[in-house]
Amino acid sequence: MAEVVRNKRVVLRNYVTGFPKESDMEIVEGTITLKVPEGSKEVLLKNLYLSCDPFMRNLMNKPQGTETSSGLNYTSGSAIGGFGVSKVIDSGSPDYKYGDLVWGLTKWEEYSLVPSSQIISKIQHTDGVPLSYYTGILGMPGVTAYAGLFEVGSLQKGERVFVSAASGAVGQLVGQFAKLTDCYVVGSAGSKDKNKFGFDEGFNYKEEPDLNAALKRYFPEGIDVYFENVGGKTLDAVLLNMRVQGRIPACGMISQYNLTQPEGVTNLANIVYKKIRMQGFHFFDYVNLYPKFLEFVLSHLKEGKIVYVEDIAEGLENGPAALVGLFSGRNFGKQVLLVAPE
């Protein structure tokens, strides 16, 4: 007979408006049978690390049944979900077996039964690389930074790059990948202490009453590539400082997510005058680049050419606070939740 064990979960109480609060989630304990049902192609996972990501806030706002690009769909009273690193406990899929380490989409609980299609990749490279890195630099944020910069942004050697939200999971990597391409890089974040990732310059946007003037100070010749993470006033100022045929890969607009009335952008005419290309994109558009991305990043990481910072909270009971902290800038580096020791 298959073993039945406790299964602690982080559950969404109700759909939220604006940013989530800790009280919008609760810890619920149940049980789970450690065996995939007969005839099922699903995979039973023991979750080791879970990723706290801004997109999860959007899912908390979604009405039930709304389709999402990730395939995740939150329902009130059920466990929330996102990216994670897990160990296979049992599998109905021939692609996975007991003991495999994998990363992909899972639920915020100790054990999850998921469709095999939600697993992005087996983890093959563990020598000298913490498993938690597959929630960040070797997972979704890493691929997002790489694809946004090189595929969407068409970055060329020696260009001038500006990164907003430069201390976040994606931003810290964008700047460093650009530096590896011999570019001049400036990042903005919510404090000076957060600009420690080897950029040429960094500034605290909260201390700059005139963002246009700040950007002119750091980019007297203009910006070739702006990696967009925040939107609003920053985007408006950037448009005045873009170079002709500049590119703006749009990854997020976190400054706008909790506004009842989104801020208007008044300098859009510069897109026409300067022939700027601005394009939104999602991680799932570029999953096929994962092998190419690993080839690029692993050698640099092991040689110490990339600084990668994690902020690790321990235990599912601390998950709600860790997730909510993303939206106030409480974290320094990639926010990760440790569920079980490796």
Side-chain angles (χ1 to χ4, degrees):
M1 182 177 290
E3 184 180 5
V4 177
V5 299
R6 181 196 72 176
N7 194 26
K8 189 185 295 184
R9 302 176 293 153
V10 178
V11 167
L12 178 67
R13 289 176 181 269
N14 290 295
Y15 288 97
V16 304
T17 300
F19 290 142
K21 303 181 295 295
E22 290 182 46
S23 59
D24 293 320
M25 294 164 272
E26 63 179 330
I27 308 299
V28 174
E29 287 195 10
T31 59
I32 189 170
T33 302
L34 296 186
K35 187 169 180 59
V36 173
E38 191 71 30
S40 171
K41 299 296 183 182
E42 294 175 303
V43 181
L44 180 63
L45 303 175
K46 179 179 181 180
N47 295 314
L48 305 178
Y49 293 94
L50 298 171
S51 178
C52 297
D53 294 302
F55 79 85
M56 296 171 68
R57 172 256 179 205
N58 298 333
L59 294 174
M60 290 180 171
N61 295 158
K62 295 281 185 184
Q64 295 188 25
T66 302
E67 291 296 322
T68 64
S69 60
S70 67
L72 290 173
N73 187 10
Y74 289 8
T75 56
S76 57
S78 297
I80 64 175
F83 288 95
V85 172
S86 311
K87 178 181 178 180
V88 174
I89 299 300
D90 191 28
S91 177
S93 167
D95 296 327
Y96 304 100
K97 65 181 186 304
Y98 174 82
D100 282 345
L101 294 171
V102 298
W103 74 272
L105 293 167
T106 187
K107 298 175 183 177
W108 276 38
E109 54 191 0
E110 293 174 290
Y111 296 91
S112 295
L113 186 64
V114 303
S116 60
S117 59
Q118 288 190 185
I119 296 174
I120 304 294
S121 178
K122 290 183 184 179
I123 296 175
Q124 309 286 2
H125 306 278
T126 57
D127 183 28
V129 179
L131 279 179
S132 58
Y133 278 21
Y134 285 87
T135 67
I137 186 171
L138 300 179
M140 181 273 289
V143 176
T144 299
Y146 177 83
L149 197 57
F150 296 109
E151 298 293 321
V152 182
S154 303
L155 185 69
Q156 302 299 311
K157 183 176 180 179
E159 289 192 311
R160 302 162 184 84
V161 179
F162 177 50
V163 187
S164 56
S167 67
V170 174
Q172 62 168 296
L173 299 176
V174 169
Q176 293 184 82
F177 292 171
K179 286 301 298 177
L180 290 170
T181 317
D182 297 325
C183 293
Y184 169 74
V185 181
V186 177
S188 70
S191 74
K192 289 180 179 177
D193 291 340
K194 290 190 174 184
N195 293 306
K196 293 182 177 178
F197 300 107
F199 297 5
D200 294 284
E201 299 284 354
F203 65 89
N204 180 354
Y205 68 87
K206 296 177 182 177
E207 297 178 355
E208 298 289 348
D210 187 338
L211 288 174
N212 179 32
L215 291 173
K216 281 182 165 52
R217 186 166 71 246
Y218 289 107
F219 294 98
E221 298 180 21
I223 302 166
D224 293 298
V225 176
Y226 167 49
F227 200 98
E228 167 68 299
N229 286 312
V230 300
K233 295 176 182 178
T234 299
L235 174 59
D236 220 15
V238 165
L239 288 170
L240 293 174
N241 290 276
M242 292 295 293
R243 290 166 60 86
V244 173
Q245 294 187 325
R247 287 87 66 203
I248 303 177
C251 179
M253 295 194 176
I254 198 167
S255 73
Q256 304 301 293
Y257 294 160
N258 202 35
L259 299 181
T260 304
Q261 182 63 45
E263 295 173 324
V265 178
T266 61
N267 295 317
L268 285 173
N270 286 276
I271 291 178
V272 179
Y273 303 151
K274 298 178 181 180
K275 295 178 283 188
I276 297 167
R277 175 165 57 84
M278 183 173 181
Q279 179 182 337
F281 70 101
H282 295 142
F283 157 77
F284 289 100
D285 299 332
Y286 296 98
V287 173
N288 63 304
L289 293 180
Y290 191 61
K292 181 181 177 182
F293 161 72
L294 281 183
E295 185 178 342
F296 166 81
V297 76
L298 277 172
S299 60
H300 291 310
L301 187 60
K302 291 180 178 180
E303 291 169 11
K305 293 180 180 179
I306 298 175
V307 176
Y308 184 61
V309 177
E310 294 180 300
D311 191 333
I312 299 181
E314 296 189 13
L316 279 170
E317 62 276 6
N318 292 313
L323 180 59
V324 169
L326 283 181
F327 304 103
S328 62
R330 189 187 308 163
N331 60 302
F332 177 42
K334 170 61 184 170
Q335 184 67 67
V336 181
L337 184 63
L338 170 62
V339 180
E342 298 174 26

